[in-house]
Amino acid sequence: MKYAKTVAALALVLLASGCSQAKEEKRAFEVPDSLCGTPVPAELLSPLLPASGDKLEVKRRHPDMKGALSCDIVVDGTTDLGVDWEWRKIGPDPGRIARENPYVKRDTYESEDGRYVYADRGGVIRVTCEPVVEHRKGTSELFASVLVSNEGRSDSEAVKNLLEGYAKALSASPECEQK
């Protein structure tokens, strides 16, 4: 009987504490597996998006722009993540381009080969188009960037992974093919 009262009291405490905890919020939206037509695994995007929310939209900025593309992921009306790619004149290193991104400080993190720089809220990567000399814009290089607008989702490793995955997908895209 002594143990029964203890078990009953413990069960009551656990039940009461379970009722007092806030309901865990979850995503009502599905994480996309592409960005403006470029396939990107959802698991690369997921860490940089809110843990909860109802509606996700992928919006293309400047849809008529040639030689560049800008795309935002908007959750419940707030832009949380932006990705861009553009052709630039051969020469600038990713660090110079990253200075245009207010969330990336030069040399925060840099790849050993100098192909990309990144920080907890953004980065820039040079996309390899093969054959390099003969790609369709012979005097330009393709660069991609990531911008995390949501301060609560900053994660340098997730930014790095998205940059690498996005660049890999772009290198296999028609944009990199010689025309």
Side-chain angles (χ1 to χ4, degrees), residues 43-167:
E43 60 267 13
L44 296 180
L45 293 170
S46 185
L48 298 170
L49 296 177
S52 63
D54 294 319
K55 184 179 179 188
L56 179 142
E57 298 174 86
V58 178
K59 295 184 175 183
R60 192 168 173 179
R61 290 178 267 135
H62 319 294
D64 299 329
M65 189 182 304
K66 304 278 188 224
L69 182 128
S70 298
C71 192
D72 290 325
I73 295 182
V74 179
V75 177
D76 295 340
T78 301
T79 301
D80 284 282
L81 178 68
V83 294
D84 301 275
W85 61 254
E86 68 178 313
W87 288 94
R88 289 184 169 239
K89 186 176 178 179
I90 291 176
D93 63 85
R96 271 187 59 205
I97 296 168
R99 282 188 231 144
E100 297 169 12
N101 181 331
Y103 301 119
V104 181
K105 292 176 177 54
R106 182 164 171 74
D107 300 329
T108 302
Y109 298 104
E110 186 171 353
S111 65
E112 287 184 25
D113 62 2
R115 230 179 103 225
Y116 57 89
V117 295
Y118 63 99
D120 58 349
R121 293 187 52 207
V124 176
I125 189 168
R126 178 183 288 117
V127 178
T128 304
C129 293
E130 297 294 341
V132 175
V133 177
E134 297 176 12
H135 63 71
R136 78 178 190 108
K137 305 216 189 260
T139 60
S140 301
E141 294 177 294
L142 183 60
F143 287 89
S145 63
V146 170
L147 172 65
V148 180
S149 304
N150 184 332
E151 290 181 44
R153 304 307 299 172
S154 58
D155 181 340
S156 60
E157 193 64 27
V159 167
K160 175 186 168 191
N161 293 338
L162 180 57
L163 273 174
E164 290 174 338
Y166 191 50

Side-chain angles (χ1 to χ4, degrees), residues 162-177:
L162 180 57
L163 273 174
E164 290 174 338
Y166 191 50
K168 182 178 179 182
L170 283 171
S171 70
S173 75
E175 190 57 36
C176 258
E177 295 173 7

